[in-house]
Amino acid sequence: MPATGETERPATGSLMEAVLSRPNLQRALKRVRRNGGSPGIDGMTVDELPDWLRHHWRRVREQLLACRYQPQPVRRASIRKPDGGTRDLGIPTALDRLIQQALLQVLQPLFDPSFSEHSHGFRPGRRAHDAIREARAHIEAGKQWVVDVDIEKFFDRVHHDVLMGKLARRIEDRSILRLVRRYLDAGVMANGVVTERSRGTPQGGPLSPLLANVYLDGIDKELEHRGHTFVRYADDVRVFVRSKKAGLRVMGSLTRLFARLHLRVNPTKSSVDQAWERPFLGFGFWPRRDGRTLLRISSKALDRMKARVRRMTRRSRGQSMDAVVSDLRTYLPGWKQYFRLIEVNQFRDLDKWIRRRLRAYQLKQWRRGTTAYRALRKLGASDAVARSLSYHLPSWWRASAQAAHAAFPTSYFDRLGVPRLAT
């Protein structure tokens, strides 16, 4: 399909030898062990893999070189999606994760340099923040309408023949192509039954993100060829235009483009709307009169964060305050790091809310009566305040607000080690 602008530059030499080289495999094993994850259908963990390889790798290597290696089916697992429902994952065995990672390390440098500058997902040296910054730049440049395209079940609908055709344009080593095809065709095991697969590249293996970018690169090149302003992160595509009319026209052409790849645009989740009405990767956009666009945490991302903190601080949990704070220390710094680009004051309000949750949790542990009274007095509350709070403790949430300054100032939570979001 010449109009897509895909470069047809075949690789030379044996890529399989590069995949199976000792340095490449050592690097792949280190990465697989660092990533961890649950076992595949054979039950082997990534920590057990090195010992297994010492006894069996020579046989596996010979099978790979002779094109006789057959990947095992992936294990189906489901995770909850942020917007409801579930997403199916395919968990490869530890050995297949190693081989896929070794393949990725050789194939990524071959394909990545030719990918679009506007594609940011699952690429070395790129991250979600790059996509967010680029999207904001387009909005501030006056393109304040966005064509938000949701591809229906993308990873389940990748057409194997189309994908293999794209790979074959760049790879001459037939043993690599056969191995990738076998990974695509490997079945899925659920409840002890293996189901064959004729399309899709299950999420869960190291190779799937690269294959997704190879598959969608033609869309990127076509958008560039037509002069569109766009940002893509994995299967999340945003095209920025100056009017709703232009957006509706682009939506129609994108729907046809995706249909060529046997993909379907989900009409209920896709939309042409003003940019600040369509959050992107957890960030919302806030327009200012001076033409600047501020970043904020989207309402859905805030709801997900609060739901998780509520689970950690639920008053029926029955664990010590130290255990609760330990969970918060594990979760909050990483969450803050992701949303550090925001430019509106949401962190401060979240800090107050988290501290109130913790006050209510502590008061529930003390319960009503002498124990609560003595603990509150020890924290510096006056006799009157300690008596009042210990008497009204069954109303944990209301009491947590009354106790804010009397017994649980911010410094109290700092001493416990509760991370602050606002600095």
Side-chain angles (χ1 to χ4, degrees):
M1 195 163 55
T4 64
E6 291 183 13
T7 305
E8 299 189 9
R9 179 170 56 83
T12 58
S14 173
L15 287 179
M16 184 61 80
E17 292 178 2
V19 170
L20 299 180
S21 70
R22 187 176 182 85
N24 188 56
L25 287 168
Q26 288 176 331
R27 189 157 59 98
L29 179 60
K30 184 177 180 180
R31 181 61 180 266
V32 167
R33 295 190 68 186
R34 184 168 68 245
N35 289 345
S38 56
I41 64 170
D42 62 356
M44 185 194 304
T45 67
V46 293
D47 290 330
E48 296 169 333
L49 180 60
D51 186 61
W52 188 93
L53 292 172
R54 277 190 284 271
H55 295 88
H56 303 282
W57 176 247
R58 180 173 295 181
R59 171 177 55 84
V60 173
R61 188 176 190 278
E62 290 172 355
Q63 290 176 345
L64 288 165
L65 288 171
C67 298
R68 290 186 288 105
Y69 179 77
Q70 182 61 52
Q72 295 192 64
V74 297
R75 179 175 62 84
R76 175 169 292 167
S78 297
I79 59 172
R80 289 186 177 275
K81 296 171 67 174
D83 56 352
T86 59
R87 174 182 288 116
D88 287 336
L89 300 180
I91 310 300
T93 64
L95 174 61
D96 284 323
R97 261 180 271 177
L98 171 69
I99 297 171
Q100 285 194 35
Q101 181 64 36
L103 277 169
L104 175 68
Q105 290 167 183
V106 170
L107 296 182
Q108 185 98 50
L110 177 66
F111 284 93
D112 195 82
S114 66
F115 288 156
S116 170
E117 285 298 309
H118 309 292
S119 167
H120 298 278
F122 308 117
R123 295 182 60 188
R126 292 171 178 262
R127 51 188 176 173
H129 287 176
D130 299 320
I132 295 298
R133 289 189 180 101
E134 184 179 353
R136 178 172 64 176
H138 296 325
I139 296 169
E140 290 183 339
K143 297 190 174 182
Q144 298 180 349
W145 286 83
V146 63
V147 183
D148 180 356
V149 180
D150 181 88
I151 306 173
E152 191 174 84
K153 296 183 177 179
F154 166 71
F155 284 92
D156 295 332
R157 296 182 183 274
V158 170
H159 195 282
H160 291 178
D161 291 339
V162 173
L163 175 57
M164 291 308 302
K166 292 175 178 293
L167 293 172
R169 293 189 184 105
R170 304 290 300 278
I171 300 173
E172 276 190 341
D173 191 330
R174 313 312 290 181
S175 62
I176 293 287
L177 294 172
R178 291 190 189 100
L179 182 58
V180 173
R181 183 74 194 221
R182 285 175 181 171
Y183 273 118
L184 292 173
D185 292 340
V188 178
M189 178 176 282
N191 301 318
V193 178
V194 176
T195 304
E196 294 185 354
R197 189 174 67 231
S198 60
R199 62 174 57 204
T201 171
Q203 298 178 75
L207 198 56
S208 291
L210 173 63
L211 298 181
N213 277 331
V214 170
Y215 200 78
L216 292 175
D217 185 56
I219 297 290
D220 297 342
K221 296 300 194 296
E222 182 66 22
L223 289 171
E224 290 176 342
H225 178 74
R226 298 182 183 186
H228 288 307
T229 299
F230 72 97
V231 179
R232 181 171 70 81
Y233 190 92
D235 59 335
D236 196 340
V237 183
R238 304 292 173 102
V239 182
F240 295 86
V241 294
R242 295 186 182 276
S243 67
K244 184 174 183 178
K245 182 178 180 181
L248 292 172
R249 186 171 61 249
V250 171
M251 178 67 83
S253 65
L254 275 175
T255 301
R256 293 187 292 272
L257 275 175
F258 283 117
R260 293 186 201 172
L261 293 177
H262 305 269
L263 299 173
R264 182 172 180 266
V265 173
N266 189 331
T268 62
K269 293 185 178 181
S270 302
S271 178
V272 177
D273 209 337
Q274 291 183 304
W276 35 88
E277 299 295 335
R278 306 297 293 187
F280 184 35
L281 302 178
F283 287 85
F285 302 99
W286 188 309
R288 290 191 4 158
R289 292 182 180 178
D290 61 3
R292 288 188 62 216
T293 299
L294 302 185
L295 298 177
R296 60 191 236 172
I297 307 167
S298 71
S299 58
K300 284 187 177 181
L302 276 176
D303 289 344
R304 290 195 296 269
M305 180 267 195
K306 286 189 170 184
R308 185 158 178 179
V309 171
R310 284 191 184 99
R311 289 195 296 272
M312 293 178 185
T313 58
R314 64 186 184 277
R315 292 185 285 281
S316 60
R317 176 173 171 172
Q319 289 184 288
S320 69
M321 178 66 85
D322 287 342
V324 175
V325 172
S326 177
D327 287 348
L328 291 173
R329 278 202 300 264
T330 299
Y331 172 62
L332 291 178
W335 187 86
K336 174 185 176 179
Q337 177 70 9
Y338 180 76
F339 285 106
R340 69 183 187 274
L341 298 183
I342 67 167
E343 299 161 298
V344 295
N345 203 357
Q346 293 170 287
F347 282 161
R348 184 178 61 187
D349 292 339
L350 285 171
D351 277 336
K352 292 178 180 178
W353 177 78
I354 291 169
R355 288 194 291 267
R356 188 171 179 184
R357 294 282 308 177
L358 291 173
R359 290 186 194 104
Y361 187 89
Q362 182 64 83
L363 291 171
K364 170 69 183 296
Q365 284 195 321
W366 288 338
R367 298 187 180 277
R368 183 175 177 176
T370 305
T371 301
Y373 172 81
R374 289 176 177 172
L376 288 164
R377 287 287 285 157
K378 188 174 181 180
L379 288 174
S382 67
D383 176 76
V385 169
R387 288 182 184 279
S388 174
L389 286 174
S390 60
Y391 180 77
H392 291 101
L393 276 189
S395 179
W396 316 112
W397 189 244
R398 185 176 65 183
S400 68
Q402 295 172 342
H405 300 293
F408 299 103
T410 301
S411 58
Y412 171 79
F413 297 101
D414 290 340
R415 290 194 299 272
L416 287 179
V418 179
R420 284 202 202 188
L421 298 176
T423 55

